[in-house]
Amino acid sequence: MNKIILIGNLTRDPDAGNAQNGGNFTRFNVAVNRPFTNAAGERLADYFDVICWNKLAERCAKYLFKGSKVGISGYVQRRQYEDRDGIKRTSFDVVADEVEFLTPRNNGTGGERTQGGYVPEDSHPISDMQPVESDDLPF
């Protein structure tokens, strides 16, 4: 069985392209935090190269951006290639069957997407915020 499920954040904006067979694809890299810290108390992450195809690729290219939190379900595929120096290399990619967008579409602000994220339409400065009394909280 070859199945992988990841939840993490994009490390850069997705790259979209067209394959030689006419299909389209989108590639991106996802950082997934490890569930523990190292001896120095630092939380480490693992990085996964993800590729998706066709309609899923179109949606990912359109709505994802650096920092987006995603849930991915798919399988691992081994790829062999020759680098620029003629050295044979092997890499492993996650081929996504499903991508769940876990970052709110407008980050909760109703903004429009721009390079690297969303820009809020009606941003409220911190100076407009009012403190909340703990007695007013329902929990």
Side-chain angles (χ1 to χ4, degrees), residues 19-68:
Q20 293 175 349
N21 67 3
N24 54 340
F25 64 89
T26 298
R27 287 185 167 279
F28 50 92
N29 188 271
V30 174
V32 178
N33 288 329
R34 292 184 180 175
F36 53 86
T37 57
N38 64 13
E42 302 165 327
R43 184 165 304 269
L44 302 177
D46 293 301
Y47 298 88
F48 296 88
D49 291 319
V50 179
I51 186 167
C52 49
W53 294 92
N54 302 319
K55 291 287 186 187
L56 181 57
E58 291 173 19
R59 286 192 302 273
C60 288
K62 184 175 181 179
Y63 296 112
L64 294 179
F65 52 90
K66 180 180 179 179
S68 294

